[in-house]
Amino acid sequence: MPLSLVDRVTSLKPSATVEMTERVRAARASGRRILALSSGDPSIDTDPRIIDAAERAMRGGATHYGPAAGLPALREAIAQREQARSGTAYDPADIIVTPGGKFALLTALMATVEAGDEVLVPEPGWVSYGPCVRLCGGTPVPLALLDRLDLETLERAVTPRTKAVIINSPVNPTGRVLSAEEISGLVDLAVRHDIWIIFDQVYCDLLHDGRFPSPQALPGGRERTFVVDSFSKTFGMTGWRLGALMMPAGLSKAVLKFMQHSVYCVPDFIQLAGITALSLYDEVVPQYRATFRRRLETAVAGLSKIEGITTSMPSATFYLFPSIAADDVAVAKRWLDEIDVSSLPGSFFGAPGKGHLRLSLTCPDADLEEALERIARVGLAA
């Protein structure tokens, strides 16, 4: 009998977002001029000062193994940034630097989920949540929560096997920010049922309107919340693979063992570049936010004129999640095949996303204008 791979790998669906990125890359290599409204990679060139910091560090010898938890100076800078953002005071010892936000998520799940455990995963949501739960031996329990965090729906889904709930705010793919009432109710539910909260706040620095409530800032929330964060979207550092996991006090020593036995550490020169990035926050991030907001306003105005498309400004991110009066998979395929505009069907983010498209406004302004013209020309009809 031939050897076979394990089910936790073979049964996973490929990442829809990564696969679309590869399709766009292949189409461009064949000579097609694809206008990409599908990638979550923001069109921000990493600030030259961040690149210079990495180069200086490499030339200065920061090319060896570093501490598995991350450089103390970077963890201190992350702690300071989080206190300014949410008011939550973290000891740098409770922060681990990770290779990107996705690995921070996986680390949190590896630390909290065992075989047979259930993890509540609201949908539509990021395509990697469920697969990461399964890689840890757990069972993702999808919940249809398109427009609000319905606490009654969450409550009904809790069973004796429920170990954690993954919450993303601002939400990918909708750009919605969970309200203070939703976050407070989430913490109350987690306390009553004694479950972990894994809070993905990767997009929180791209907030356009209102406040950003977070569970770690609430009484009872800090001690049961793992906070996933990243430099990728905030600073245009997606390829640098730099993220962080902030966790309840006293847990990092045990959680760190997963880092030690997997990736070991993030390269020191990347971490030193991260320190420079954080030092530039007040200068560069407001500019990036303004760019994304302008693109969102442009896209909302253009798409709202097209029959069958309904959309509005999100509170955060660079995503639009318009409702369309057509099959989302068919429309996305047609736009790519006929007008060379890539998008992602909303159903790729879970069944509640059916009848929507995720449009990522990460392309240059001129490309966005042209993409909107092409979409207006063909509309939704086959």
Side-chain angles (χ1 to χ4, degrees):
M1 183 175 178
L3 292 171
S4 60
L5 299 177
V6 296
D7 179 69
R8 70 171 176 271
V9 171
T10 59
S11 64
L12 291 180
K13 292 182 179 179
S15 167
T17 53
V18 172
E19 287 217 318
M20 178 57 77
T21 298
E22 294 303 322
R23 285 185 64 189
V24 169
R25 185 176 287 118
R28 286 173 170 166
S30 72
R32 293 170 62 189
R33 182 168 173 267
I34 306 295
L35 302 178
L37 301 184
S38 54
S39 173
D41 192 341
S43 56
I44 301 171
D45 291 330
T46 304
D47 190 283
R49 290 166 290 184
I50 299 173
I51 297 172
D52 289 345
E55 182 180 357
R56 286 195 305 273
M58 284 188 282
R59 295 192 182 281
T63 56
H64 300 276
Y65 293 135
L71 295 175
L74 178 56
R75 289 185 282 132
E76 174 64 34
I78 292 169
Q80 291 176 3
R81 175 61 201 146
E82 180 58 27
Q83 183 159 20
R85 184 164 45 198
S86 71
T88 309
Y90 278 95
D91 187 321
D94 297 321
I95 298 172
I96 292 177
V97 178
T98 61
K102 186 178 292 190
F103 202 82
L105 171 76
L106 183 62
T107 300
L109 289 168
M110 288 293 289
T112 56
V113 176
E114 297 181 295
D117 287 343
E118 295 177 347
V119 178
L120 307 182
V121 183
E123 291 184 342
W126 188 36
V127 298
S128 290
Y129 292 139
C132 282
V133 171
R134 295 189 62 192
L135 285 171
C136 298
T139 300
V141 179
L143 303 177
L145 298 170
L146 174 61
D147 299 316
R148 62 194 177 100
L149 187 65
D150 189 328
L151 296 171
E152 292 184 1
T153 298
L154 279 178
E155 189 87 43
R156 289 194 298 270
V158 173
T159 74
R161 295 170 59 193
T162 303
K163 184 61 69 73
V165 55
I166 297 176
I167 294 296
N168 176 213
S169 180
V171 179
N172 173 14
T174 67
R176 192 172 73 85
V177 177
L178 271 61
S179 68
E181 292 74 20
E182 289 172 309
I183 292 295
S184 177
L186 169 70
V187 171
D188 289 344
L189 181 145
V191 170
R192 283 188 286 105
H193 292 284
D194 197 23
I195 60 177
W196 296 105
I197 298 170
I198 299 175
F199 187 60
D200 179 353
Q201 62 176 31
V202 162
Y203 292 94
C204 69
D205 289 316
L206 301 181
L207 184 71
H208 304 304
D209 292 302
R211 297 173 50 237
F212 175 65
S214 53
Q216 64 268 27
L218 297 179
R222 165 71 185 276
E223 55 264 36
R224 62 181 60 251
T225 300
F226 286 78
V227 180
V228 172
D229 214 334
S230 171
F231 287 66
S232 293
K233 317 297 181 176
T234 303
F235 295 103
M237 295 177 68
T238 53
W240 295 71
R241 310 314 303 134
L242 185 58
L245 179 64
M246 293 170 270
M247 63 196 82
L251 301 185
S252 63
K253 186 174 181 180
V255 175
L256 189 59
K257 297 173 188 176
F258 178 61
M259 287 286 293
Q260 293 171 341
H261 291 296
S262 56
V263 296
Y264 185 1
C265 63
V266 174
D268 280 2
F269 60 88
I270 291 178
Q271 296 190 58
L272 290 165
I275 294 172
T276 296
L278 288 172
S279 75
L280 297 172
Y281 183 95
D282 290 336
E283 177 185 345
V284 301
V285 175
Q287 299 174 30
Y288 301 153
R289 274 198 298 262
T291 295
F292 293 135
R293 182 178 186 126
R294 185 182 69 252
R295 290 180 187 162
L296 287 165
E297 290 171 344
T298 297
V300 168
L303 293 170
S304 296
K305 299 174 184 176
I306 301 173
E307 185 177 356
I309 299 180
T310 303
T311 191
S312 59
M313 272 291 293
S315 298
T317 77
F318 38 66
Y319 298 126
L320 283 182
F321 202 61
S323 170
I324 60 172
D327 180 271
D328 54 299
V329 175
V331 170
K333 183 178 186 303
R334 178 169 175 257
W335 285 0
L336 183 60
D337 292 344
E338 296 183 14
I339 60 173
D340 288 342
V341 173
S342 68
S343 60
L344 284 173
S347 53
F348 282 10
F349 298 88
K354 184 177 181 180
H356 294 76
L357 293 173
R358 193 196 76 171
L359 305 179
S360 182
L361 308 186
T362 55
C363 60
D365 291 356
D367 284 3
L368 174 59
E369 295 278 3
E370 185 174 349
L372 292 171
E373 290 173 3
R374 295 184 188 182
I375 292 169
R377 185 172 73 246
V378 301
L380 300 178

